[in-house]
Amino acid sequence: MRSKTLMSVLVCAACAVPAVGAAGDTPTATTSQEAHAAVFHKRLVQKNQKLARRKAYLHRQHVKRDRVTIVSRWSNTKLVHDIRKLRRQTLGPARIPWIRAKLRRIARCESHNNPRAVNPTGTYRGKYQISFRTWAAAGGHGDPAAAPSWEQDRRAAIIMRRWGIGQWPVCGYR
């Protein structure tokens, strides 16, 4: 009895598996699978382009005109890798919760979260008390204290990623 049931299950399983041609050809994808793959690829290309535009805006650069046509030829694996790279370059470590918390503590210690704060000598400015030289090295333009709070957060995250918390010798280690 068991052998008949087992035999019928194996026969059903063999029938359910798509047949492979005599030449060893693999079965082709259906049109719905191809359409789904095309839509998925298109979404990856759009996400990649959006992040590339954001990166170009943040770094004051221009996006190449034919970038979409070039990126469209990439494989999905290469697109996903590039998307991750662009996310790191645009969002930086400020998206990681413990780094955000560390930056909040530094801002509270340095300037009591005042984005317009300036130290008495005028050397260190803004929410994170950043010098002009460090601000420029992190990609900032102009006066750190005149920049919006979100940009100061972003530049501080870049500074932390590149040079560590040693840029804030007192508040960074608390």
Side-chain angles (χ1 to χ4, degrees):
M1 184 77 161
R2 279 179 145 171
S3 63
K4 286 184 182 180
T5 309
L6 183 61
M7 207 49 172
S8 62
V9 169
L10 289 174
V11 169
C12 289
C15 292
V17 175
V20 177
D25 299 337
T26 58
T28 58
T30 63
T31 54
S32 63
Q33 288 172 332
E34 290 172 357
H36 177 71
V39 168
F40 181 69
H41 184 76
K42 185 177 178 182
R43 283 188 190 144
L44 286 176
V45 169
Q46 288 171 344
K47 190 179 290 187
N48 189 293
Q49 183 66 10
K50 181 180 175 185
L51 286 168
R53 269 187 260 136
R54 184 181 298 160
K55 178 189 171 193
Y57 170 76
L58 292 172
H59 297 287
R60 298 184 195 270
Q61 298 171 344
H62 295 286
V63 180
K64 294 179 182 177
R65 284 186 182 179
D66 59 342
R67 187 176 190 290
V68 174
T69 56
I70 293 169
V71 171
S72 296
R73 292 185 225 134
W74 289 0
S75 68
N76 287 354
T77 307
K78 188 172 181 180
L79 279 168
V80 168
H81 178 72
D82 197 52
I83 286 169
R84 287 182 182 150
K85 181 179 168 186
L86 286 169
R87 279 187 182 149
R88 281 193 309 271
Q89 291 171 343
T90 57
L91 303 175
R95 300 296 275 183
I96 303 169
W98 70 269
I99 291 181
R100 249 191 337 233
K102 187 68 167 175
L103 287 174
R104 270 196 304 268
R105 283 196 301 273
I106 290 171
R108 192 170 42 245
C109 175
E110 290 284 349
S111 67
H112 302 288
N113 283 328
N114 180 5
R116 305 288 170 245
V118 178
N119 82 329
T121 62
T123 308
Y124 301 104
R125 311 171 74 79
K127 191 174 179 180
Y128 297 96
Q129 296 294 287
I130 301 171
S131 68
F132 282 105
R133 187 174 179 183
T134 307
W135 179 257
H141 299 280
D143 184 6
S149 182
W150 63 267
E151 186 175 359
Q152 290 183 34
D153 294 338
R154 199 176 161 285
R155 301 296 172 199
I158 291 170
I159 291 167
M160 184 181 279
R161 180 179 63 213
R162 287 186 187 166
W163 300 292
I165 58 173
Q167 296 297 311
W168 300 278
V170 175
C171 296
Y173 293 103
R174 289 188 178 178

